[in-house]
Amino acid sequence: MLRPILIAMTLLLATIAPYLLQDQEAAIAVGVNRHAPLDMNAAIPRVFGDWQERQSPLMRPADPATEGQVNEIYTQVVARTYINGQNEHIMLMLAYGSDQLTHKTHAHPQEDCYRAQGFRVSEITDDSIDYRGKELPVRRLLAGQDTRREVISYWTTVGTTARLPGWDRKIGQLKHLFTGKTPDGLLFRVSSLQTEGFDTETHDRFIRDMLDALPDEARTRLGVR
């Protein structure tokens, strides 16, 4: 008896979720469920562990159209390249948005963003990183354009909960919707250029090293508790 009910509820949510999450400003009087502003440029260290920020041509400048969309969605963006003693390079992008409830303003799936910039995207997998005994959800993908081959790991947050695009994030959005509150959140992305293979071990090492160097508040804002 319980199984048919669960199936019916899932189908109902699948039907109404797109409408609930399109333009909530016009549908309900949305409150605010945000934290005190966090200066991400100051919170994310430029040197930690074996890593240090390095000016690098690896970071691709965004085209004007893409940059305009980024500025429309996010209120803070940190984009840096780090290098360690083994000459491994990691590109970091961290983007904060004050409204993670609507389709127009929440952090967009990176596979869609890369495709919009002309990349071929493949090998999309959902994974997790073990950090201090807790599992942090992360999505992996490979993006290629001409001779550039970029391996990407990312996650988003709704409020202070790390979630991946898809049903997991929709559930988080619905929870906030039913309270009448608008959650803030962010996109956390690391990537590296690789001529072959699909190495995410360096990504995970970088992420753990960075999280270890952050104060508790900053870790919480990244969805790590």
Side-chain angles (χ1 to χ4, degrees), residues 2-133:
L2 182 59
R3 181 181 176 85
I5 294 175
L6 290 175
I7 293 175
M9 290 177 64
T10 300
L11 292 173
L12 176 62
L13 282 174
T15 302
I16 67 173
Y19 300 98
L20 290 174
L21 297 174
Q22 280 177 352
D23 288 303
Q24 302 305 330
E25 297 90 346
I28 60 172
V30 179
V32 176
N33 185 22
R34 300 172 189 155
H35 302 84
L38 177 67
D39 185 346
M40 293 191 301
N41 261 309
I44 305 300
R46 297 179 185 274
V47 178
F48 56 89
D50 190 31
W51 301 92
Q52 59 181 318
E53 184 185 10
R54 176 73 58 85
Q55 296 299 318
S56 172
L58 296 179
M59 274 289 193
R60 293 179 305 102
D63 62 70
T66 302
E67 188 171 3
Q69 292 173 347
V70 168
N71 292 334
E72 184 178 343
I73 297 171
Y74 304 113
T75 54
Q76 287 189 64
V77 176
V78 175
R80 300 178 188 166
T81 299
Y82 288 84
I83 186 172
N84 66 7
Q86 288 74 51
N87 201 37
E88 296 172 314
H89 290 74
I90 291 290
M91 292 171 283
L92 167 69
M93 180 177 177
L94 202 161
Y96 169 84
S98 58
D99 181 354
Q100 295 299 310
L101 193 58
T102 73
H103 176 72
K104 292 180 180 179
T105 58
H106 68 58
H108 288 175
Q110 293 303 282
E111 50 271 33
D112 294 346
C113 293
Y114 273 83
R115 288 189 183 108
Q117 296 182 66
F119 281 82
R120 302 176 307 279
V121 176
S122 62
E123 300 194 41
I124 303 174
T125 58
D126 288 346
D127 197 2
S128 63
I129 299 172
D130 179 77
Y131 181 71
R132 297 184 178 181

Side-chain angles (χ1 to χ4, degrees), residues 114-115 118-122 141-148 150:
Y114 273 83
R115 288 189 183 108
F119 281 82
R120 302 176 307 279
V121 176
S122 62
L141 56 111
L142 174 65
Q145 185 183 61
D146 300 326
T147 60
R148 186 182 180 97
E150 189 171 343

Side-chain angles (χ1 to χ4, degrees), residues 140-197:
R140 324 275 197 182
L141 56 111
L142 174 65
Q145 185 183 61
D146 300 326
T147 60
R148 186 182 180 97
R149 190 174 183 277
E150 189 171 343
V151 175
I152 299 129
S153 300
Y154 81 94
W155 71 84
T156 64
T157 66
V158 178
T160 57
T161 302
R163 295 185 180 276
L164 299 181
W167 270 110
D168 183 44
R169 186 167 65 183
K170 283 185 172 64
I171 290 171
Q173 290 170 319
L174 286 168
K175 286 180 178 179
H176 285 276
L177 172 64
F178 293 144
T179 67
K181 301 296 183 180
T182 302
D184 60 1
L186 52 81
L187 160 71
F188 182 95
R189 185 185 82 203
V190 297
S191 62
S192 56
L193 300 184
Q194 300 177 19
T195 56
E196 59 183 15

